[in-house]
Amino acid sequence: MSGAADTARLALACLDLTSLNDADTPADIEALCRRARSRHGDVAAVCVWPRFVAQARAALPASIRVAAVADFPEGALDPGRALRDTAEIVDAGGDEVDLVLPWRALAAGQVRESHALVAAVRRATPGRTLKLILESGELAQPDLIGAAARLGLDEGVDFLKTSTGKTAHSATPEAARVMLDAIRTHGRGATVGFKASGGIRRVADAAVYIDLVRSALGEAALGRARLRFGASGLLGDIEAVLGGAAPAPAGTGY
């Protein structure tokens, strides 16, 4: 049980507690922010739609970061939209931007245009954490996932993130290995983090990715500066484990 509890504590400290439902209301975000301060400790961040950034920032201490999504969930090759979303997040006091890579465009060979969109958002986020969502489950092929990861690393993103959680295929350990290898071997790799998102509902699910990060990036990477989990349901299992419940088996979401 101590092993599961240790994993749960780490997952809590690295959790981006997320609400990205189309019908989210201010009351939903108020409830999310209350949950972010659990009796076992605070999460790393909350992740919301851009329109809720100001509300979340006002409700939370500075120690809990506020993230919001840009060009989400489609990942369209639309720099104007990506920059409008980003400006809304930054102007409202957001700390972190989770940008969806134009992954369909990249897969179709529009490499230069994909680089340009990410570079533009990077320039628009000085002093903010920029996470790039690769939609790795949809790219599927290791060479495409690797190319997407290297694009983000070359353009200066702070985290590589697996998925939006809005497609049929989300995070997988196989994709995580490719992404982590790209981080490990890149010239900026010592400062770049990894975020697993999509289908991660149990502490046992998080443990898979913790082990992968430890193996690829070392023990020092196991903290919120370089490891995050994007989830809405994971907190319930974390609280159950830390409250003394037997850990649930890993799910099938990944």
Side-chain angles (χ1 to χ4, degrees), residues 84-236:
R84 286 192 298 273
D85 289 343
T86 298
E88 184 176 359
I89 295 164
V90 170
D91 291 347
D95 304 293
E96 304 182 351
V97 175
D98 285 32
L99 169 70
V100 185
L101 175 74
W103 56 274
R104 294 181 187 86
L106 179 67
Q110 294 177 282
V111 178
R112 179 180 58 83
E113 296 89 343
S114 300
H115 269 275
L117 185 148
V118 177
V121 173
R122 176 72 285 180
R123 290 192 297 271
T125 52
R128 266 72 175 186
T129 296
L130 178 59
K131 311 189 196 90
L132 185 63
I133 306 171
L134 305 190
E135 207 66 282
S136 59
E138 296 300 314
L139 289 174
Q141 299 174 22
D143 59 338
L144 278 176
I145 296 168
R150 289 187 294 274
L151 183 158
L153 291 161
D154 289 346
E155 295 299 345
V157 305
D158 301 298
F159 276 80
L160 297 179
K161 177 179 172 181
T162 57
S163 318
T164 62
K166 300 291 188 178
T167 60
H169 306 99
S170 290
T172 68
E174 292 75 20
R177 289 187 186 97
V178 176
M179 294 166 65
L180 288 165
D181 188 61
I183 294 171
R184 180 183 61 81
T185 58
H186 195 272
R188 297 181 51 248
T191 62
V192 176
F194 169 80
K195 179 174 174 178
S197 181
I200 300 167
R201 302 180 181 90
R202 302 284 183 264
V203 170
D205 299 331
V208 173
Y209 295 98
I210 290 170
D211 287 345
L212 288 172
V213 171
R214 179 186 288 113
S215 177
L217 306 181
E219 197 75 26
L222 299 181
R224 77 174 195 173
R226 296 188 67 197
L227 172 62
R228 298 288 182 88
F229 296 102
S232 57
L234 178 59
L235 182 56

